[in-house]
Amino acid sequence: MPATDLTGHQPPDSPLDRAIAALDPVVALLSLVQLNGDRSLLHTYGPALEGTQNRTREAFVAVDGPVAHDEADTTIADEIRRQLLKEVRNARKPVLPDLDPALFRQMARLALGLDLPELSLAPAFQHAGFTTDTRVRVPQKTPPADFKVLVVGAGMIGINAAIKLQQAGIDYRIVEGLHEVGGTWLVNTYPGAAVDTPSRVYSYSFEHNSSWTKYYPNGPEFLAYLKRVVDQYGVRDRIDFNTRVSGAAWDEDRKLWTVKATRDGQPQSYEANVLVMAVGPNNRPKLPDVRNLDAFEGPVLHSAAWDNSVDLTGKRVVLVGTGCSGVQLATALADTVADMKIIQRQPEHIIPNPQAHEPVDPLERWAMENIPFVAQWKRLQGLSSSLQDMKGLVTIDPAHREKTGGVSPLNDGIRDMCLGYLKSHFPDDPAMVEALTPTYPVFAKRPILDCGFYDTLKKPNVTLVKGALAACDRNAVILADGTRIECDALLLATGFHLDFCTQFDIAGRDGRTLREAFTPAPFSYEGMLVPGFPNFVITGGPYSFLVANHAVVSEQQVHYVIELLQTMIDEDLAAVEVSEEACRAFVEDVENGLSATTWVNKGTAHGYYRHASGKVILAIPRHNSRIWHDLRRPRMDDFVVTTRADAEPAPAREPAMLSI
């Protein structure tokens, strides 16, 4: 804590003084109102701050980068900061820690410089962190002593599920195949691994991290955050580590799941009323299907199974893949290796990202850590673009296509921004511009936030090679056109298999397996539930992704799971299973929406958006604010339910008049 003088106040020019002096006046005013409860300040100062809002748009949506804004009147800004400094030094409890909807709407309007759509206000309130309790159903009963939930996976969603199950008073256990929590962020340790979502919004809304050191934190920093959350909420003691699940079967007579696993070579078994699979769709590295891969005698390193004991200093390396992991690897290793040949099968749309390696200003960090409500308002500003209407982001505008041949004004604008950014890096090299220009629409593949890749390609020891890996021999790789490239190490940034739990032997009702149900392609209801598999949830299942970051998706889905479990408890249900009809209707609606998107109308694009069957099942073509509302509570008419055999009618609890 900062030093204080004898009066208990921090001395002049303390970290508090400096942090408030540097604080955006809009954020300062919003924090001040919550601290002292004086709503009239919004009318006194708010109009003078219009147009001064810092409206940096999230990179995957931005067309022109940061939106220019006016500077606040110095006299007004200083007065707001003076009052905030006084209020923070007083250290009183905030008068308005909780905001009513009308006040939040007014304050959000000032924070963002625009009115949020009505459907986005409640999602904004939650995801910005102004509430930590999203429960909708008021519990009528406490969970029975024998009601147990098993969560498979201790990654981002599994940790979230554990915390919310714990808060709901539901008995749970997590099984994790690895030695530690973190999932993706434990496994992906390749050089340069980093989050490509702004750090302010890539964390749990109920557990902010105000201390990110970078705007886009690296893997170890994000893993440290997850570990800290696990320990803070006491989740670690409920995790069985080094325990690999092999399969599970639904016991129809007992209405529970039996789960088989192995821990340290010894068989383990579990029983649970509800089974939650929180393993994610991308956790099995995908090796390229090429001849004689095993013939290569040097190290072969996949980005998702990196061996950090291998020293690549001074080596000749071939890097296969220019997706997100590939560009991060290339940028991180270019100055370490003697020579790097990058095999590019297909160029990517790359979006400018000047904050890729930038540290967060220490004063900004201090303000978020120490001044109440600053973190929430800054987080809301970071979420702004994803809460607005995004017409044409991925959906084809028929009139625009007929007129221009493009996708939509917004999509084409992002394409043109990417092309302009590319040309700015290679103004005198038209051949390189051509080699790096995609021939497919934006979002047919995931755009990449530039982490320095274009600058990396200019290094004298780096060469971009257009082609596809076809074979290996003892000390070289061979491309499809016959080109032979000698190298000391082979680096594979070739992604993952899209499994959706088909790597496990899971048998539902009547013994039908999940693999059978998911042939030819996986599907689900609301991105989580599958007919024929009672009391079974796949978090991050088919039709879940690409409209919000993983932190947002996980919170929304976990909320839905808790609401469904509380319904089971209140209504004495032994089993809940989504009906075939409801699931079919959901899938038909989603696939109809997908048919008009660049995810499906992909042109020449390939990539992980598509399942091995060729279908797009990763994405859902709905605005995330709609999804938030869709998942507030389960629509029980969509379920087939079975009442517990021991269920008894709840006793009448008539309120009696009291007297003295």
Side-chain angles (χ1 to χ4, degrees):
M1 291 297 291
T4 57
D5 61 25
L6 295 178
T7 66
H9 291 164
Q10 295 176 19
D13 200 34
S14 68
L16 175 60
D17 288 271
R18 295 196 300 273
I20 289 183
L23 190 59
D24 173 6
V26 171
V27 173
L29 175 59
L30 297 170
S31 300
L32 173 62
V33 169
Q34 287 198 256
L35 284 169
N36 69 9
D38 188 354
R39 301 178 186 223
S40 70
L41 296 177
L42 297 171
H43 303 290
T44 302
Y45 298 119
L49 296 178
E50 281 297 342
T52 72
Q53 294 91 346
N54 185 352
R55 295 173 60 189
T56 301
R57 301 187 69 192
E58 201 274 337
F60 282 142
V61 180
V63 176
D64 299 313
V67 180
H69 63 87
D70 299 330
E71 294 297 324
D73 180 273
T74 303
T75 303
I76 292 174
D78 287 347
E79 176 58 22
I80 293 169
R81 289 166 175 153
R82 184 192 64 77
Q83 291 190 48
L84 179 61
L85 180 63
K86 177 183 176 182
E87 200 62 46
V88 174
R89 281 178 168 169
N90 283 335
R92 294 182 297 221
K93 285 188 176 182
V95 177
L96 289 174
D98 303 311
L99 301 175
D100 60 69
L103 181 57
F104 175 70
R105 181 185 292 107
Q106 181 184 7
M107 296 176 78
R109 169 68 183 77
L110 180 59
L112 306 177
L114 51 84
D115 288 308
L116 284 176
E118 194 66 26
L119 281 178
S120 289
L121 284 167
F125 188 73
Q126 185 224 313
H127 288 306
F130 288 102
T131 179
T132 58
D133 181 11
T134 62
R135 297 284 293 274
V136 174
R137 187 182 184 100
V138 178
Q140 302 300 305
K141 296 181 179 179
T142 57
D146 61 352
F147 190 83
K148 300 183 185 300
V149 176
L150 186 70
V151 179
V152 179
M156 196 164 189
I157 296 186
I159 294 167
N160 193 336
I163 292 169
K164 295 304 177 180
L165 286 165
Q166 191 166 271
Q167 291 173 342
I170 297 173
D171 191 8
Y172 73 92
R173 195 82 195 161
I174 299 180
V175 291
E176 168 56 56
L178 301 174
H179 67 282
E180 182 55 276
V181 302
T184 292
W185 299 107
L186 179 66
V187 171
N188 284 265
T189 62
Y190 62 85
V195 179
D196 64 354
T197 301
S199 56
R200 275 187 199 142
V201 299
Y202 196 66
S203 54
Y204 301 125
S205 69
F206 56 85
E207 191 55 54
H208 278 182
N209 180 21
S210 299
S211 303
W212 297 117
T213 62
K214 293 184 177 181
Y215 289 104
Y216 291 84
N218 59 26
E221 184 172 9
F222 192 78
L223 178 60
Y225 163 74
L226 291 178
K227 290 180 180 178
R228 188 163 63 250
V229 172
V230 163
D231 292 332
Q232 182 174 335
Y233 284 86
V235 170
R236 188 174 295 275
D237 291 342
R238 308 292 289 274
I239 305 175
D240 290 345
F241 290 110
N242 300 311
T243 304
R244 294 195 171 273
V245 169
S246 57
W250 172 250
D251 187 327
E252 177 64 23
D253 293 333
R254 300 169 65 205
K255 299 292 186 293
L256 51 76
W257 285 92
T258 58
V259 179
K260 295 189 180 303
T262 302
R263 186 189 311 153
D264 300 325
Q266 299 299 313
Q268 299 288 324
S269 62
Y270 297 85
E271 291 186 346
N273 301 83
V274 178
L275 180 59
V276 177
M277 304 298 294
V279 296
N282 294 326
N283 55 23
R284 189 162 56 98
K286 187 176 185 179
L287 296 175
D289 185 14
V290 299
R291 300 187 309 276
N292 302 324
L293 182 61
D294 293 341
F296 186 74
E297 294 181 355
V300 178
L301 304 176
H302 192 285
S303 58
W306 198 263
D307 183 352
N308 285 286
S309 68
V310 176
D311 185 3
L312 297 174
T313 304
K315 304 292 186 183
R316 300 170 302 164
V317 304
V318 166
L319 169 61
V320 180
T322 54
C324 182
S325 298
V327 301
Q328 289 181 343
L329 259 174
T331 303
L333 287 175
D335 292 334
T336 299
V337 301
D339 181 78
M340 176 182 287
K341 299 290 192 298
I342 302 174
I343 310 303
Q344 175 187 269
R345 184 168 52 146
Q346 187 172 58
E348 312 278 341
H349 290 286
I350 295 185
I351 292 175
N353 184 29
Q355 290 184 323
H357 301 293
E358 287 297 303
V360 178
D361 186 297
L363 289 177
E364 182 178 357
R365 286 178 58 196
W366 198 95
M368 294 177 68
E369 291 169 341
N370 295 280
I371 302 175
F373 311 113
V374 167
Q376 285 93 329
W377 290 113
K378 284 188 171 291
R379 183 172 168 119
L380 177 66
Q381 291 175 331
L383 288 163
S384 176
S385 60
S386 64
L387 295 165
Q388 299 169 37
D389 186 77
M390 292 184 278
K391 179 178 174 60
L393 183 69
V394 296
T395 303
I396 296 168
D397 180 332
H400 181 82
R401 168 151 288 190
E402 183 177 357
K403 182 178 179 180
T404 68
V407 174
S408 71
L410 177 57
N411 189 284
D412 290 359
I414 298 174
R415 177 202 63 198
D416 293 344
M417 174 189 67
C418 293
L419 182 58
Y421 182 64
L422 168 60
K423 289 179 177 179
S424 73
H425 278 76
F426 302 97
D428 302 316
D429 193 345
M432 183 65 87
V433 170
E434 182 181 2
L436 291 169
T437 299
T439 57
Y440 53 84
V442 180
F443 295 106
K445 299 175 71 172
R446 180 180 175 87
I448 295 172
L449 296 183
D450 190 22
C451 57
F453 183 60
Y454 286 159
D455 289 332
T456 296
L457 292 177
K458 297 178 183 180
K459 294 180 184 293
N461 65 327
V462 176
T463 305
L464 183 72
V465 181
K466 187 176 181 179
L469 185 65
C472 295
D473 66 19
R474 183 176 61 82
N475 63 350
V477 300
I478 299 147
L479 305 187
D481 64 0
T483 301
R484 185 175 185 276
I485 304 173
E486 292 191 0
C487 58
D488 304 313
L490 178 57
L491 316 181
L492 302 175
T494 50
F496 300 86
H497 293 276
L498 206 58
D499 285 325
F500 289 112
C501 295
T502 52
Q503 68 269 42
F504 304 106
D505 296 320
I506 297 175
R509 193 186 298 281
D510 302 323
R512 188 185 188 211
T513 68
L514 194 63
R515 290 194 196 100
E516 291 170 336
F518 282 179
T519 301
F523 61 94
S524 75
Y525 167 88
E526 297 292 2
M528 289 176 278
L529 306 172
V530 183
F533 294 81
N535 298 10
F536 178 78
V537 181
I538 303 177
T539 59
Y543 311 123
S544 285
F545 293 111
L546 306 189
V547 293
N549 76 59
H550 198 52
V552 166
V553 171
S554 72
E555 290 196 35
Q556 292 173 169
Q557 292 199 342
V558 168
H559 164 87
Y560 181 90
V561 171
I562 298 299
E563 293 291 309
L564 183 60
L565 296 183
Q566 190 62 54
T567 302
M568 292 180 67
I569 292 164
D570 287 346
E571 299 182 10
D572 291 318
L573 301 179
V576 293
E577 176 187 347
V578 66
S579 70
E580 293 274 2
E581 295 77 14
C583 187
R584 187 182 306 113
F586 175 83
V587 170
E588 288 176 356
D589 183 67
V590 166
E591 293 192 343
N592 181 59
L594 283 169
S595 68
T597 67
T598 59
W599 294 323
V600 170
N601 299 275
K602 63 184 180 62
T604 60
H606 55 69
Y608 79 97
Y609 283 4
R610 281 155 285 282
H611 181 255
S613 64
K615 289 189 67 175
V616 174
I617 57 174
L618 195 68
I620 180 167
R622 296 177 178 176
H623 194 288
N624 187 66
S625 288
R626 175 192 166 176
I627 297 169
W628 188 93
H629 288 280
D630 287 346
L631 298 184
R632 282 307 85 196
R633 61 172 71 208
R635 297 179 293 277
M636 295 310 295
D637 288 346
D638 288 350
F639 289 83
V640 177
V641 303
T642 304
T643 303
R644 287 174 63 114
D646 60 351
E648 296 181 358
R653 297 176 60 87
E654 294 295 332
M657 184 61 68
L658 303 177
S659 64
I660 57 172

